[in-house]
Amino acid sequence: MSFFSNWIATHAFNPYALYRWTDDMSVDARHSVVARHKSVSELLTSKAFQLEHESGFFRLGQSHLPAEAVRQGSAALRGLLHQTSVDRAGRAQQILSTYSGRTFSTRSIGQRMILTYFAQAILRDRPKCIQDAVSNYVRFSVIPDDVRRRSFRHYATLPELRQNIATAIQEADVREPVSDMLDIALTVAPSRIGAAELLQRLTLSTVGFTGAALEWILIQASKKAKVEGRSRAENRVRETLRLASPACRLTRTTSQGASLGDLSFPPEHELIINVRSANRDQSVWRDAETFIPSRWEAGEAKKNDLTFGKGARSCPAQRDAIEALVDFQKQLDTRYRVSFIRAPFSTPLVGTLLAPPLGLMTLHEEPHR
């Protein structure tokens, strides 16, 4: 990858800096940007596009697991999250009450809350050594590398943290399935170190991305914006995610030559999909830059939503992610007031995911709101 292409892949979609990357365009001989809603939808769903088999989380290093293994893993993940939903009843209220009256920083608090929320789905009553190893991965890699995108020693701790998880798996008795993400990783991966890597990726998808989404919801709750009518909590969640999709960009690689509008792509051409731009496309969304939860009362909004991707490779856990965020939103609507002080000159940060601006947030419990 050329220096210019690498810079594009790293920086092009900062939504508060480079607005020009909101149109379909060729970057160089091997990379193109797809940003229009119509183009993104066609690319993700049309059978006319022959794309390489890829998976964002079911892969080892740069090698993607076989398609059947990805299908099995995705189905198992959906089943697991549905099965463990009863464990999460009332969890949002418990978590928020823990932070009530306290001031905390963005770009970490969402991940800490979601790690607690999905704890039993990630590791169900596993030995402490495994729980500590996964917790350390979130603390020392997900938050500094994927959320805060540290520039010094980026991902330097990741191999050691992965080995620590593999060692904990080896030392603990994990032969008896207990219905958690570690079970899925052990079933799909060919080795202990492979299972450790898959568990890291599943944890990142659950804790990293959903945690970023929760922080955007907390910030939106602090704005006290006038909203049309008494919108349901789910509408507020979906509208927040439309405006600030944590998975703000996706990538696909062509396996055969293809065309999209005025652009033509050769085989093995990488397409960088600007989800953030597509979810704000004025040709699809009325008052696209405005927070209007009531737009989700109509089925058209869900049909047009690209927050979780579309088609065969859309996020397998999207239903449970929405349910988790709605749990928190309901509490924020009825029991809490949020104040947020944004750090001077801080803007949203694009790395592995779209993280909100740095700032200090305080949660105030007001049960009779």
Side-chain angles (χ1 to χ4, degrees):
M1 182 181 287
S2 68
F3 172 81
F4 180 64
S5 300
N6 186 62
W7 186 88
I8 290 291
T10 304
H11 299 285
F13 299 135
N14 186 326
Y16 296 86
L18 300 177
Y19 287 98
R20 65 179 178 272
W21 304 111
T22 60
D23 201 0
D24 300 345
M25 63 177 296
S26 176
V27 175
D28 59 23
R30 295 188 59 190
H31 306 87
S32 294
V33 173
V34 182
R36 296 175 185 169
H37 187 280
K38 180 180 178 181
S39 301
V40 173
S41 297
E42 183 179 349
L43 173 63
L44 295 179
T45 60
S46 175
K47 294 182 179 179
F49 279 92
Q50 299 296 314
L51 302 174
E52 295 283 355
H53 164 66
E54 300 170 297
S55 175
F57 296 104
F58 286 100
R59 61 186 174 89
L60 300 175
Q62 297 302 312
S63 300
H64 302 275
L65 294 178
E68 183 58 29
V70 173
R71 282 192 289 270
Q72 290 178 356
S74 297
L77 180 60
R78 285 191 294 269
L80 166 68
L81 291 173
H82 178 69
Q83 175 187 341
T84 57
S85 61
V86 66
D87 297 331
R88 300 189 288 274
R91 187 69 58 84
Q93 163 58 16
Q94 295 170 7
I95 293 170
L96 290 173
S97 66
T98 301
Y99 289 91
S100 179
R102 295 167 55 186
T103 299
F104 41 86
S105 174
T106 55
R107 298 186 188 171
S108 67
I109 190 59
Q111 285 72 33
R112 296 179 191 278
M113 287 183 174
I114 292 298
L115 178 61
T116 302
Y117 186 86
F118 281 106
Q120 288 295 297
I122 298 171
L123 297 170
R124 176 176 290 276
D125 301 324
R126 295 289 189 175
K128 187 175 183 298
C129 60
I130 301 180
Q131 295 186 30
D132 287 346
V134 171
S135 179
N136 285 338
Y137 163 62
V138 172
R139 179 182 177 186
F140 296 114
S141 183
V142 171
I143 291 174
D145 295 323
D146 298 297
V147 178
R148 295 177 177 169
R149 206 182 73 183
R150 61 180 167 190
S151 56
F152 178 68
R153 300 186 75 240
H154 197 217
Y155 290 116
T157 61
L158 186 59
E160 180 182 353
L161 292 167
R162 180 172 299 157
Q163 185 58 57
N164 290 345
I165 294 175
T167 299
I169 293 173
Q170 184 69 39
E171 294 177 350
D173 185 0
V174 296
R175 292 170 295 179
E176 188 69 26
V178 297
S179 296
D180 60 8
M181 291 184 190
L182 178 54
D183 277 346
I184 296 174
L186 289 168
T187 300
V188 175
S191 64
R192 289 282 193 257
I193 191 67
E197 180 175 352
L198 284 184
L199 182 59
Q200 284 182 323
R201 294 188 186 281
L202 291 171
T203 302
L204 170 61
S205 66
T206 305
V207 174
F209 285 81
T210 315
L214 178 56
E215 290 193 358
W216 283 110
I217 286 169
L218 287 164
I219 290 174
Q220 183 62 49
S222 75
K223 293 180 179 180
K224 305 187 180 110
K226 184 177 179 180
V227 179
E228 299 175 8
R230 293 180 60 83
S231 61
R232 295 185 304 148
E234 182 176 337
N235 293 344
R236 296 176 66 84
V237 167
R238 290 188 179 276
E239 182 69 349
T240 301
L241 297 185
R242 180 187 69 81
L243 290 168
S245 307
C248 59
R249 66 179 177 223
L250 306 171
T251 60
R252 298 291 189 269
T253 305
T254 59
S255 59
Q256 297 181 13
S259 61
L260 188 66
D262 297 330
L263 300 179
S264 295
F265 314 120
E268 298 185 4
H269 191 80
E270 185 175 56
L271 304 173
I272 305 170
I273 302 168
N274 189 343
V275 174
R276 182 263 176 192
S277 174
N279 262 349
R280 292 173 177 238
D281 192 324
Q282 297 281 356
S283 68
V284 174
W285 304 94
R286 174 178 62 89
D287 297 325
E289 301 292 330
T290 305
F291 182 73
I292 308 176
S294 62
R295 73 172 84 240
W296 295 90
E297 295 295 340
E300 197 68 16
K302 287 186 179 180
K303 179 182 176 182
N304 291 328
D305 186 30
L306 296 170
T307 298
F308 295 96
K310 284 284 186 186
R313 284 187 55 195
S314 61
C315 175
Q318 57 185 284
R319 181 187 66 181
D320 295 276
I322 289 292
E323 287 182 356
L325 296 170
V326 168
D327 283 349
F328 282 96
Q329 183 71 67
K330 287 179 178 177
Q331 296 298 321
L332 294 171
D333 288 344
T334 58
R335 297 181 63 89
Y336 292 92
R337 176 171 54 86
V338 182
S339 61
F340 175 63
I341 301 175
R342 182 170 175 164
F345 309 112
S346 181
T347 62
L349 182 65
V350 178
T352 304
L353 46 80
L354 177 64
L358 277 173
L360 294 178
M361 194 173 291
T362 306
L363 200 63
H364 309 272
E365 188 167 8
E366 298 178 348
H368 302 295
R369 283 185 66 189

